[in-house]
Each structure stands twice: as structure tokens, then as C-alpha cells.
Amino acid sequence: MFKRKLRRSREWGKNNKIIDFEKARENRKKNREAAIQSMQAEKREKKAKPSKRRISKKARKRNFYAAAVLVVIAVAGFSIYNVVAVNSQHMEALAERESLENEKERLTNELDSVDSPEYIEEQARMLKMIKRGEVYYIIPEEQE
């Protein structure tokens, strides 16, 4: 207990001062202004010459954004290429479909006329066949 009293009495002796509030306010105000000025000076120095860490951090950020943009462009380009390729295949398929429909129509018409006597005669004449009693003449082509 004796030590506590001794300690308390010493602290009381140190802190036993008369405080002038106006002076204390002025001192605090000066300290704040000095701190603000030093912070502004530090900011000016930092703006004038950025640190290596800050420079490398900005470079990493820039590289990351550039890579992200390139990836987006690549994906968009690949998608556009696929769309164009699919459209061209679609157009080719439509053209092929139309040609096949025309072929089908021609073959259907030919199938309808296969049983007619005119068609049979035409096909036989193409094979150089003749009817009984007919004479087959071969005319030579003109020679120049």
C-alpha cells in the first residue's frame, strides 16, 4: 500500500500543473496544421515520383485488363466466326435442297411417263434400235 501512495503522489506531482485552455487549443491547432502540411508534402512527393511498388502494381493491373480485353475479343471473334460459318452452311444446304427438289420433280415426271409408249420408243431410238420394216440410215458428218 505504501508503494501505491508513493506512486500516486509522484503522478500527482507531475500532473499538478495549471492548464491554460486557450494555449492548449492553439498548440493542438498548430500541431494539426503541421501534420496536414507534412501530409500534403508527402502527397506531393508521391505524385512527383511514384514508388517502384506502385509502378509495378499499375503495370500488373494494366496487363490484367489488357489480357481480359484480349480474351473477350477472342471469344467474341470466335463466336462471330462460328455464326458466319453456320450461316454459310445454311445457305449451301438451302441451295442443295432446292437442286434436290428440282431433281426430284424431274425424276417424278420421268417416272410418270415411263409407262407411255412414246417414252419407250424414244429410249429405244436413243439406243439405235429400229422397228421392223424400217431402214436405218447413217449419215456421215460433214468433213471440213
Side-chain angles (χ1 to χ4, degrees):
M1 255 192 174
F2 182 69
K3 289 184 180 179
R4 281 189 182 177
K5 286 184 182 179
L6 183 63
R7 233 189 262 161
R8 286 183 186 166
S9 64
R10 283 185 189 166
E11 286 181 19
W12 186 80
K14 289 179 187 174
N15 295 329
N16 189 15
K17 298 179 184 174
I18 298 173
I19 298 173
D20 185 11
F21 287 108
E22 292 300 319
K23 254 188 180 177
R25 283 186 190 131
E26 287 178 19
N27 286 340
R28 280 196 309 265
K29 190 175 181 181
K30 286 179 186 177
N31 289 340
R32 276 191 229 126
E33 288 174 1
I36 289 172
Q37 288 177 356
S38 67
M39 286 174 59
Q40 288 174 349
E42 286 177 15
K43 283 182 183 179
R44 274 187 248 127
E45 287 177 15
K46 285 182 180 180
K47 285 181 183 178
K49 183 181 175 186
S51 67
K52 290 181 182 179
R53 181 177 178 192
R54 187 171 294 235
I55 291 171
S56 65
K57 190 174 181 181
K58 282 185 180 181
R60 275 183 283 159
K61 241 186 216 182
R62 191 178 324 117
N63 290 341
F64 175 76
Y65 288 135
V69 167
L70 287 176
V71 166
V72 168
I73 289 172
V75 168
F78 185 70
S79 298
I80 289 170
Y81 173 76
N82 283 341
V83 167
V84 169
V86 167
N87 282 342
S88 67
Q89 288 176 353
H90 179 67
M91 292 301 202
E92 290 173 6
L94 288 177
E96 186 178 352
R97 178 182 175 192
E98 183 145 346
S99 68
L100 289 174
E101 285 176 354
N102 291 339
E103 177 86 11
K104 179 184 175 187
E105 187 177 327
R106 185 185 64 77
L107 291 173
T108 305
N109 290 339
E110 188 176 333
L111 183 62
D112 291 340
S113 65
V114 164
D115 291 334
S116 70
E118 294 88 18
Y119 181 79
I120 295 172
E121 184 180 344
E122 181 185 334
Q123 293 298 318
R125 298 232 182 245
M126 286 176 71
L127 296 172
K128 298 181 182 176
M129 298 176 88
I130 57 172
K131 288 183 181 179
R132 285 188 194 141
E134 286 185 344
V135 178
Y136 186 67
Y137 293 102
I138 299 176
I139 303 173
E141 294 181 15
E142 293 182 23
Q143 296 179 357
E144 295 181 9

